[in-house]
Amino acid sequence: NAGVTQTPKFRILKIGQSMTLQCTQDMNHNYMYWYRQDPGMGLKLIYYSVGAGITDKGEVPNGYNVSRSTTEDFPLRLELAAPSQTSVYFCLSNRGGGLNTEAFFGQGTSLTVV
Amino acid sequence: DAKTTQPTSMDCAEGRAANLPCNHSTISGNEYVYWYRQIHSQGPQYIIHGLKNNETNEMASLIITEDRKSSTLILPHATLRDTAVYYCIVRVDGTSGSRLTFGEGTQLTVNP
C-alpha cells in the first residue's frame, strides 16, 4: 500500500491563477479530508468527504472546491489563488464507519501564492 | 463539537518522561481521544488513541481520567527526535459523518 499520496509537494502560484491539489489513497477508505496549516498554527479543516459523491464544508472552505467521484481520489481545487491561501495542505483518510479508526496523512503540499 | 485545550509549549529533558496534558471537558460518551504529532512541516503522525481505559503502545501511553474530561500523553523516555507539535483530538460527528478537528497543539521541545 502506498497509503495517502499528495501531489505536488511544492508549488508557487501567481495571484488569480488556479490549480488542483491531488490526493489519492489506496486503502479503500471512505473518509477523506483536506486541511491547511499556516506557519506556526494548527491544522484547519477545509473540506471532507464520507464517501464517493458526498462532500461537506469544514472550518475554512472559502476559496476552495472539492469533488469525490471515486473512493480513491479527493482533489482540492483553488480557482482564484490569493496570498491568504499560502499554506501547507494536508490530505487525510480513514476507514470511517466507526470511531475507532486510525487516520493516515499525506506528506503535504506547500503552496505559495505571490 | 467537543473541543480540546492544550498548553502552547512544554520543555522536557532528554531521557526523562514527557507528560502532555489535554482538556476535553465537553467530550461525549462515544468519542475517542486521539493524539498526533507533527515534526517540522511533515504530515502529522498518529501516536495513540483511547476511549476510557489507559492505553500503551510502542510510542507512548495515554492516561484518560475517569470522568474523561482530560487526558495525558506520556512519552516515557523522551529523545531529541520527539521534539514536535503534539495534537490532542476528539473525534466529532458532522452533519454527514465524522470529522477530525485539530486545535493549536503543544510544542514539545526536548533539551539535551
Side-chain angles (χ1 to χ4, degrees):
Chain A
N1 284 351
V4 178
T5 303
Q6 281 183 243
T7 56
K9 285 190 171 60
F10 303 95
R11 184 71 185 270
I12 297 174
L13 279 182
K14 293 184 179 177
I15 295 172
Q17 285 185 320
S18 61
M19 77 164 292
T20 299
L21 283 68
Q22 302 291 346
C23 177
T24 300
Q25 52 91 8
D26 61 358
M27 297 171 283
N28 201 33
H29 284 170
N30 287 324
Y31 288 67
M32 296 186 75
Y33 310 75
W34 274 106
Y35 289 87
R36 60 175 286 173
Q37 184 176 31
D38 298 333
M41 305 293 285
L43 292 154
K44 300 291 185 185
L45 179 63
I46 306 172
Y47 270 95
Y48 67 105
S49 168
V50 302
I54 306 171
T55 61
D56 258 309
K57 295 179 181 179
E59 303 169 72
V60 289
N62 292 342
Y64 306 93
N65 278 303
V66 293
S67 60
R68 186 89 184 274
S69 56
T70 67
T71 299
E72 294 78 19
D73 300 307
F74 190 40
L76 178 71
R77 179 86 178 157
L78 283 72
E79 290 295 348
L80 291 170
S84 61
Q85 292 178 304
T86 293
S87 190
V88 179
Y89 292 82
F90 291 99
C91 179
L92 177 157
S93 80
N94 69 341
R95 191 172 65 247
L99 297 175
N100 187 15
T101 54
E102 181 181 345
F104 293 82
F105 284 87
Q107 286 304 303
T109 297
S110 178
L111 175 66
T112 302
V113 182
V114 296
Chain B
D1 295 346
K3 300 223 185 296
T4 62
T5 305
Q6 298 176 252
T8 303
S9 62
M10 293 183 65
D11 284 283
C12 177
E14 188 177 17
R16 306 297 293 267
N19 299 311
L20 290 87
C22 179
N23 287 325
H24 31 78
S25 58
T26 60
I27 192 171
S28 302
N30 60 349
E31 288 178 314
Y32 284 72
V33 179
Y34 288 79
W35 282 85
Y36 288 82
R37 73 180 184 184
Q38 186 179 27
I39 299 173
H40 297 300
S41 57
Q42 299 176 20
Q45 176 190 24
Y46 167 81
I47 302 173
I48 198 167
H49 71 280
L51 181 64
K52 292 182 187 177
N53 300 322
N54 299 336
E55 302 287 344
T56 295
N57 63 20
E58 64 278 2
M59 287 184 70
S61 294
L62 175 60
I63 309 298
I64 302 175
T65 57
E66 193 169 340
D67 62 8
R68 303 212 320 126
K69 292 184 185 300
S70 65
S71 60
T72 301
L73 177 74
I74 301 173
L75 307 178
H77 304 288
T79 70
L80 298 179
R81 281 182 284 188
D82 290 323
T83 292
V85 179
Y86 288 77
Y87 294 95
C88 167
I89 302 143
V90 173
R91 188 69 181 266
V92 298
D93 287 327
T95 56
S96 299
S98 298
R99 61 184 185 180
L100 294 173
T101 303
F102 290 81
E104 299 304 316
T106 296
Q107 171 66 59
L108 174 69
T109 302
V110 181
N111 300 306

